[in-house]
């Protein structure tokens, strides 16, 4: 992975909690891939706690043989008393497998016993418990030696009896107790996807606490909740973690652990308590990223193949830099547009080149960028702004802030006529002009 040293350096001495279950404990090569990433982190001075969960096959056994069932409200697995001995044995088996895999990979580790987590039964959840005390001193002593600390699902009550504690919720509790910089939930897919937008579901790259709470209530076209049941425990745990002071939570696939936390844009979903977005004018050194976004946008075309965003070469993008506004998240450019004066229309500006990065669409980033742009134009004394598009997605955004004039004045008619020139005759009826009045802003 190129040029990752600055990212390693930024996290040196920080604590990462990594939760892995299902495929990671069922499939040896997947576990090896996870441990390879863990080894890189340890080698660069990052403290790592690995929390392992149950495998998919074992969960099926609990359901089929012991009648374990998800709780209808919390979605936690309700474990009957008769399954506890089998669960303790399975936890010991996985712990041994992780220990042996670490030895084979040359990773120093210490697998901690269930007794470091003291639990009590949760009413209505059978033998599934909740932690009441965590021996963080024991965990920190392992981390202080530069070793991988390993904790498994489950814990013991005050009488020393083993109870089930899901690894997902346990990882959140551990991350809060340790005040970890990052909590990573490893899964089969690269983060959360939203079932809307042109072209099918799209990954949600960033979310904050409030946004995630809203997503829990959102429903799809058929009335179903858009966050599927199997992912809910991770979402609930993410909310608890960032609410408890964990810096960032990541949902990412098993094989792309380092891609998510050590690259500029990441590959999964990153959740923070409060997002750090801001809009500002472009700088000269932003040109490469602006060009990349603009080229990326050319893949979105009309039914006859016309790009919705007008193609511009590097020289044109550079000329527009002083009038280009960028949406950044933690200094990562995720959206851009430019504004230019409309000829023969005093106080009127045209908004063009609106692009939101592919991984950030359908997450209100375009609305944020457009709203801020219109506010800035109003502050500068502009009377109105206009935009022309044939994109259904862009049209839906523009309709929130403006309207299509019934009879545009001559200057806007001329602007629309110029825009129509690059579209085929058959698709020109789809091209729409939007007007945004700024006087009252």
């Amino acid at each position: 992975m190129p040029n990752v040293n600055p990212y390693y350096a930024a996290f040196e001495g920080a604590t990462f909690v990594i939760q892995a279950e299902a495929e990671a404990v069922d499939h040896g090569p997947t576990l090896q891939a996870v441990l390879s990433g863990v080894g890189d982190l340890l080698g660069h001075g990052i403290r790592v706690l690995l929390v392992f969960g149950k495998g998919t096959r074992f969960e099926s056994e609990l359901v089929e043989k012991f009648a374990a069932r998800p709780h209808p409200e919390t979605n936690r697995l309700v474990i009957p008393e008769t399954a506890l001995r089998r669960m303790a044995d399975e936890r010991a088996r996985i712990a041994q497998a992780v220990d042996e895999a670490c030895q084979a990979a040359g990773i120093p580790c210490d697998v901690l016993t269930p007794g470091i987590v003291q639990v009590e039964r949760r009413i209505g959840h059978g033998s599934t418990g909740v932690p009441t005390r965590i021996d963080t001193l024991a965990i920190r002593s392992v981390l202080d030696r530069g070793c991988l600390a390993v904790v498994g699902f489950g814990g013991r009550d005050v009488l020393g009896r083993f109870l089930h504690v899901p690894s997902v919720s346990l990882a959140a509790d551990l991350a809060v107790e340790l005040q970890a910089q990052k909590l990573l939930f490893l899964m089969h897919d690269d983060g959360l996807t939203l079932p809307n937008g042109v072209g099918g579901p799209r990954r949600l790259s960033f979310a904050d606490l409030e946004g995630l709470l809203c997503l829990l209530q959102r429903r799809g076209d058929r009335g179903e909740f858009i966050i599927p049941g199997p992912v809910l425990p991770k979402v609930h745990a993410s909310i608890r973690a960032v609410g408890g002071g964990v810096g960032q939570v990541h949902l990412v696939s098993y094989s792309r652990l380092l891609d998510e936390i050590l690259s500029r844009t990441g590959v999964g979903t990153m959740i923070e308590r409060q997002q750090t977005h801001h809009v500002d004018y472009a700088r000269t050194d932003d040109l490469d990223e602006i060009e990349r976004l603009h080229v990326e946008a050319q893949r979105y075309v009309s039914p006859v193949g016309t790009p919705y965003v007008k193609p511009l070469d590097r020289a044109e993008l550079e000329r527009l830099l002083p009038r280009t506004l960028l949406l950044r998240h933690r200094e990562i450019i995720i959206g851009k547009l430019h504004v230019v004066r409309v000829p023969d229309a005093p106080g009127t500006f045209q908004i063009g080149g609106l692009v939101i990065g592919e991984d950030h669409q359908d997450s209100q980033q375009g609305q944020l960028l457009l709203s801020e742009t219109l506010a800035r134009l109003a502050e500068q004394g502009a009377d109105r702004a206009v935009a022309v598009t044939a994109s259904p997605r862009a049209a839906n955004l523009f309709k929130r802030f403006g309207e299509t004039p019934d009879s545009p004045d001559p200057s806007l008619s001329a602007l629309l006529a110029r825009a129509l020139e690059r579209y085929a005759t058959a698709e020109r009826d789809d091209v729409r002009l939007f007007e945004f009045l700024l006087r009252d802003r």
Side-chain angles (χ1 to χ4, degrees), residues 344-366:
D344 302 321
T348 302
F349 289 82
Q350 181 182 2
I351 295 172
L354 172 60
V355 177
I356 301 298
E358 182 177 13
D359 294 336
H360 309 279
Q361 295 175 7
D362 297 322
S363 54
Q364 298 186 331
Q365 313 292 11

Side-chain angles (χ1 to χ4, degrees), residues 140 186 274 428:
R140 291 184 192 278
L186 304 187
Q274 195 168 19
R428 289 181 178 177

Side-chain angles (χ1 to χ4, degrees), residues 212-219 224-227:
L212 208 54
L213 289 170
C214 292
L215 283 179
L216 284 173
Q217 302 300 318
R218 189 189 297 181
R219 297 177 183 267
E224 77 287 0
F225 288 107
I226 66 169
I227 297 181

Side-chain angles (χ1 to χ4, degrees), residues 256-271:
R256 306 191 71 181
L257 166 63
L258 296 183
D259 289 339
E260 166 64 8
I261 59 179
L262 297 175
S263 63
R264 277 190 83 235
T265 56
V267 295
T269 298
M270 184 174 78
I271 300 162

Side-chain angles (χ1 to χ4, degrees), residues 89 164 178 184 219 275 305 313 320 343 350 397:
D89 291 343
H164 171 241
L178 296 169
L184 297 106
R219 297 177 183 267
Q275 287 196 52
D313 61 26
L320 289 166
Q350 181 182 2
L397 171 62

